[in-house]
Amino acid sequence: MISALLLALIPLKHVGAASKFASLNATLGGRLGETRPISEPCYEDSASDACTYVQENYVNSTFRGDVYGAMMYCVEPVWETCFATDQGCVLNYKDPTDPTPWTTQKCEIGSLSSAYLAVESPEDVQLAFAFANSTGTLLSIKNTGHDFIGRSVLKNSLALWTHNLKNISYNATFVPEGGQADVSYTAITLGAGAQWYDVYKFADEHNVTVVGGYHPTVGASGGWLMGAGYSVLTPTLGLGVDRVLQIKIVTPDGVYRTANEYQNADLFWALRGGGGGTFGVVLESTILATPQLTLQVASVSFNSTEETARNFLKLVIDNGVKWSEAGWGGHTYQNSFISVNPLLTHQEALESMKNASDYTLALNGSVVIEELPSFFAFFEKYVPAAEAVVGVHPVLGTRLIPTSIFSNEAAKAQLLDAFAAMIPFATVDPQINAVTPLLYNHTEGATSVLPAWREALWQVVFAAEVSWNATEAEKQEVFSLVDSLTQPLRDIAPDSGAYMNEVFIYEPDFETAFWGANYPRLLALKHKYDPNGLLDCWHCVGWQGAQDGRYSCYPDFS
Ligand SMILES: Cc1cc2nc3c(=O)[nH]c(=O)nc-3n(C[C@H](O)[C@H](O)[C@H](O)COP(=O)(O)OP(=O)(O)OC[C@H]3O[C@@H](n4cnc5c(N)ncnc54)[C@H](O)[C@@H]3O)c2cc1C
Ligand SMILES: *[C@@H]1O[C@H](CO)[C@@H](O)[C@H](O)[C@H]1NC(C)=O
Ligand SMILES: *[C@@H]1O[C@H](CO)[C@@H](O)[C@H](O)[C@H]1NC(C)=O
Ligand SMILES: *[C@@H]1O[C@H](CO)[C@@H](O)[C@H](O)[C@H]1NC(C)=O
Ligand SMILES: *[C@@H]1O[C@H](CO)[C@@H](O)[C@H](O)[C@H]1NC(C)=O
Ligand SMILES: *[C@@H]1O[C@H](CO)[C@@H](O)[C@H](O)[C@H]1NC(C)=O
Ligand SMILES: *[C@@H]1O[C@H](CO)[C@@H](O)[C@H](O)[C@H]1NC(C)=O
Ligand SMILES: *[C@@H]1O[C@H](CO)[C@@H](O)[C@H](O)[C@H]1NC(C)=O
Ligand SMILES: *[C@@H]1O[C@H](CO)[C@@H](O)[C@H](O)[C@H]1NC(C)=O
Ligand SMILES: *[C@@H]1O[C@H](CO)[C@@H](O)[C@H](O)[C@H]1NC(C)=O
Ligand SMILES: *[C@@H]1O[C@H](CO)[C@@H](O)[C@H](O)[C@H]1NC(C)=O
Ligand SMILES: *[C@@H]1O[C@H](CO)[C@@H](O)[C@H](O)[C@H]1NC(C)=O
């Protein structure tokens, strides 16, 4: 009996990608793509023009975003590679012309799926769900490939790639389907492949402001949106999940649905914080647009020592509540910050930031406090310059820091010590993000986002780096370091949580850390809309667990 069963299974296991997908490919008119890792040309002929182009654009996120066989990060963990076995097809990110990779390794498909479908319509997704359901083929969903913990790749899966859904449209009187015509919004509708730079540019052309991510190529409707999605404007204008008005999605039961507060309201709630890759494939989202804003921008930076960095972080901790209550949102590092404020006048901004400018000027640093006419003007002037190339934020740790701890001197001292512990590591980069919806009046119960977001002053995050060819032992060392640097932050705020999109790969008790009390309802909705479990991703709602065969490319860590 047993051997007959096994025999029956063996042929299936040996069917190559091409024949396994042949019938689907035929149904799709040959639109199923065969994956080529982005660095393959260098392994084939390192003297070719194609290789030179890859080398020159290795850390260019626009180039990477346009190719299915590329993820955003080109340093460890390179989600293009099978992280656990090192099989992959990468270059040395510090020097893409270094011949070591292609002279010592084979080009392999790594964690990437071998076949992908550039989604064009809801029918494409319905076809893929039906195919997966009847053949047992695994599915993955990729938008930009920015995900830090590998949720947009899955070895041996059929990948649904939303990148080409680029439509963007404006409507000054948008009414969610099923709603009353007299309750309308100024809104922008985005195809699921739209990326923030294009959305900001479009919004500016229509003289409105939208709330989105800090990297020009992060996607607007995928993991960013469904995972919470913060902006430097979030302190006053809310999270991405607070501002989405409608989502069109094919759920894994095969139904194309419109989710908003009037229709599929339970699904809409789940999509507003439950995370990407879980409840279906989003085709488009419609987000609220706000009138054009005049912004005060404060940018300070200085050349630091360990001591001046520590004192700067102390000043930021001591002024943090005051600044956020005044409407500032932004990103702070150990010797710089960039913050924006839509509430203050220029004079008020100068006064509000005086402590920081005095400190910085005393160290001969640079201080700019200026007024700009729009968010797009700010983004164009500051963000590309501030933005590190893709690839410098590999293994992350994070925590949401509640406002309540700032009235407790002992807790503030612990927080400073937690940052100070990171400064000595040349490869660890602490970041304080004042991006929580502190002043935003949200509707209670409208989203499934971790409730700790509403109580937090900051999201704190840091990144540790490892080399392109790190050994297993070196990887484990980085994991241990990240875990041990995160622990004091967890201890300071044990009842808070973590931002699921910028998190340690092995965050303990992730269900509680990412969703808190919302988890049980999210899990019930996962079962309702994905009854056959066609979608699964690492540390997502309903996750099957590290022992599931899907996750063989994640190294063990405990
Ligand atoms: C340089 C950089 C800057 C960042 N800045 C910010 C920031 O300012 N604010 C912030 O909040 N976050 C930020 N992030 C984190 C970002 O929100 C996450 O990386 C997010 O997962 C990216 O979503 P994506 O859709 O672009 O990426 P992907 O990696 O393509 O997808 C992420 C997840 O969403 C799923 N998904 C994607 N598209 C769909 C879809 N159409 N339907 C269903 N599921 C889908 C994928 O399966 C995967 O699980 C930043 C990340 C990077 C790398
Ligand atoms: C699908 O068919 C096209 C056209 O024949 C072919 O070029 C492509 O490689 C096929 N895709 C896969 C995954 O085999
Ligand atoms: C990045 O890549 C895109 C697309 O390939 C290209 O148009 C752009 O010029 C590149 N940017 C830089 C800075 O080279
Ligand atoms: C999946 O298969 C089950 C039967 O095994 C069927 O009831 C269901 O409708 C299928 N779902 C899809 C999306 O095809
Ligand atoms: C995108 O917009 C064009 C032009 O308005 C329209 O024809 C097309 O159907 C849209 N595509 C999607 C996927 O919505
Ligand atoms: C805007 O939305 C309204 C209400 O849903 C609709 O009647 C109108 O046609 C839309 N306008 C545009 C330009 O799409
Ligand atoms: C843009 O919007 C702002 C704020 O609503 C308004 O004051 C300004 O007149 C608008 N500009 C144009 C060109 O419409
Ligand atoms: C840091 O020091 C370098 C070299 O002295 C100088 O060029 C740079 O302007 C300084 N940066 C800041 C922010 O003070
Ligand atoms: C900020 O500066 C003012 C005076 O300039 C001082 O009174 C105050 O204590 C400072 N606050 C902090 C938190 O550093
Ligand atoms: C700042 O620059 C001045 C003038 O060059 C110099 O005298 C002073 O020592 C510098 N201060 C610091 C903290 O570097
Ligand atoms: C939130 O609501 C309070 C009380 O209604 C109001 O004073 C405040 O201005 C509102 N905040 C924002 C950012 O709209
Ligand atoms: C990693 O590659 C570099 C060259 O890029 C080489 O010098 C180093 O020895 C390699 N390390 C390991 C562990 O293979």
Side-chain angles (χ1 to χ4, degrees):
M1 278 293 269
I2 289 169
S3 57
L5 242 175
L6 279 177
L7 277 174
L9 285 171
I10 284 165
L12 267 178
K13 282 192 154 179
H14 288 271
V15 176
S19 51
K20 178 172 155 192
F21 293 119
S23 66
L24 180 65
N25 198 9
T27 313
L28 287 164
R31 287 199 292 120
L32 213 52
E34 261 184 278
T35 302
R36 329 290 310 187
I38 194 169
S39 302
E40 188 181 55
C42 294
Y43 285 72
E44 284 177 344
D45 178 4
S46 60
S48 63
D49 290 347
C51 173
T52 305
Y53 192 77
V54 173
Q55 290 170 329
E56 285 171 352
N57 288 284
Y58 201 63
V59 298
N60 174 341
S61 70
T62 307
F63 169 58
R64 285 186 166 260
D66 287 343
V67 179
Y68 171 74
M71 293 292 140
M72 277 307 164
Y73 288 91
C74 46
V75 297
E76 290 278 6
V78 195
W79 295 112
E80 290 157 32
T81 66
C82 181
F83 192 11
T85 62
D86 279 337
Q87 288 172 312
C89 191
V90 299
L91 304 183
N92 172 359
Y93 68 91
K94 292 223 161 120
D95 174 12
T97 64
D98 175 1
T100 317
W102 63 82
T103 52
T104 60
Q105 298 178 358
K106 277 201 322 198
C107 179
E108 293 183 275
I109 202 103
S111 279
L112 297 166
S113 75
S114 38
Y116 65 93
L117 174 60
V119 172
E120 291 176 2
S121 66
E123 292 75 23
D124 280 354
V125 179
Q126 288 169 321
L127 201 59
F129 279 133
F131 176 77
N133 195 41
S134 63
T135 62
T137 303
L138 301 175
L139 294 174
S140 59
I141 309 166
K142 180 193 173 191
N143 183 19
T144 66
H146 265 295
D147 194 77
F148 283 108
I149 63 172
R151 287 174 290 208
S152 34
V153 284
L154 188 60
K155 197 175 178 62
N156 293 325
S157 67
L158 167 61
L160 300 173
W161 188 33
T162 58
H163 179 69
N164 292 342
L165 297 168
K166 292 280 187 201
N167 276 5
I168 306 181
S169 63
Y170 173 82
N171 192 331
T173 56
F174 176 79
V175 179
E177 284 175 27
Q180 303 296 321
D182 57 348
V183 185
S184 75
Y185 304 87
T186 302
I188 291 182
T189 296
L190 308 167
Q195 291 166 280
W196 280 118
Y197 182 84
D198 298 331
V199 183
Y200 293 147
K201 189 160 183 290
F202 180 90
D204 197 64
E205 284 160 9
H206 289 80
N207 200 27
V208 290
T209 309
V210 290
V211 168
Y214 208 63
H215 194 283
T217 67
V218 164
S221 305
W224 182 89
L225 175 66
M226 289 179 270
Y230 69 68
S231 157
V232 293
L233 294 174
T234 291
T236 43
L237 296 183
L239 293 163
V241 290
D242 291 324
R243 300 174 61 90
V244 64
L245 299 168
Q246 179 166 292
I247 291 176
K248 296 198 176 183
I249 182 170
V250 177
T251 44
D253 55 4
V255 183
Y256 182 41
R257 297 174 192 273
T258 296
N260 60 36
E261 67 175 297
Y262 308 105
Q263 298 179 25
N264 295 301
D266 59 352
L267 177 63
F268 190 47
W269 177 84
L271 297 171
R272 298 171 84 178
T278 305
F279 298 98
V281 178
V282 169
L283 275 295
E284 68 172 51
S285 69
T286 301
I287 61 173
L288 183 64
T290 293
Q292 198 72 281
L293 298 170
T294 301
L295 288 180
Q296 306 302 323
V297 181
S299 167
V300 310
S301 63
F302 62 98
N303 284 317
S304 57
T305 61
E306 258 181 55
E307 192 196 347
T308 57
R310 186 186 165 102
N311 290 338
F312 178 68
L313 291 169
K314 179 169 186 331
L315 185 143
V316 171
I317 291 172
D318 289 340
N319 287 276
V321 174
K322 181 183 83 180
W323 284 337
S324 289
E325 284 179 347
W328 293 102
H331 299 290
T332 298
Y333 301 85
Q334 56 184 281
N335 56 7
S336 68
F337 67 66
I338 297 179
S339 292
V340 302
N341 193 321
L343 302 182
L344 301 184
T345 64
H346 187 60
Q347 194 54 41
E348 288 166 342
L350 291 170
E351 283 158 22
S352 174
M353 280 295 165
K354 187 165 186 310
N355 290 11
S357 34
D358 287 352
Y359 182 82
T360 308
L361 292 172
L363 294 170
N364 291 340
S366 121
V367 175
V368 177
I369 297 175
E370 66 171 331
E371 183 172 296
L372 290 176
S374 67
F375 180 77
F376 191 60
F378 159 73
F379 197 83
E380 287 268 72
K381 181 163 181 182
Y382 284 90
V383 179
E387 170 205 323
V389 288
V390 282
V392 295
H393 288 192
V395 182
L396 305 194
T398 190
R399 197 75 185 167
L400 288 159
I401 307 298
T403 308
S404 59
I405 75 130
F406 291 84
S407 53
N408 175 337
E409 290 305 319
K412 280 163 65 181
Q414 278 176 285
L415 185 57
L416 181 58
D417 286 342
F419 290 136
M422 299 174 195
I423 297 173
F425 294 94
T427 56
V428 175
D429 185 16
Q431 192 178 333
I432 294 169
N433 295 330
V435 295
T436 62
L438 192 74
L439 304 178
Y440 178 78
N441 294 321
H442 73 288
T443 306
E444 197 66 48
T447 75
S448 55
V449 81
L450 176 71
W453 274 104
R454 310 284 177 197
E455 312 296 325
L457 187 72
W458 289 343
Q459 181 239 9
V460 163
V461 62
F462 66 95
E465 264 190 75
V466 281
S467 66
W468 73 273
N469 57 355
T471 61
E472 179 60 25
E474 286 165 346
K475 286 176 199 169
Q476 295 292 334
E477 251 174 60
V478 174
F479 296 156
S480 297
L481 175 66
V482 170
D483 198 32
S484 67
L485 290 173
T486 310
Q487 194 53 45
L489 298 170
R490 298 186 191 116
D491 293 342
I492 290 164
D495 300 325
S496 186
Y499 180 28
M500 78 179 84
N501 280 339
E502 298 187 339
V503 72
F504 182 44
I505 308 165
Y506 302 95
E507 188 65 21
D509 191 10
F510 73 92
E511 296 95 333
T512 307
F514 298 174
W515 296 287
N518 289 330
Y519 191 73
R521 186 174 171 212
L522 283 167
L523 186 60
L525 289 167
K526 166 73 176 172
H527 292 141
K528 174 177 173 184
Y529 288 102
D530 187 7
N532 297 309
L534 300 185
L535 293 176
D536 197 57
C537 47
W538 183 268
H539 285 192
C540 293
V541 169
W543 184 48
Q544 298 296 317
Q547 76 295 333
D548 187 278
R550 287 177 174 89
Y551 304 111
S552 61
C553 284
Y554 285 79
D556 290 333
F557 176 73
S558 54

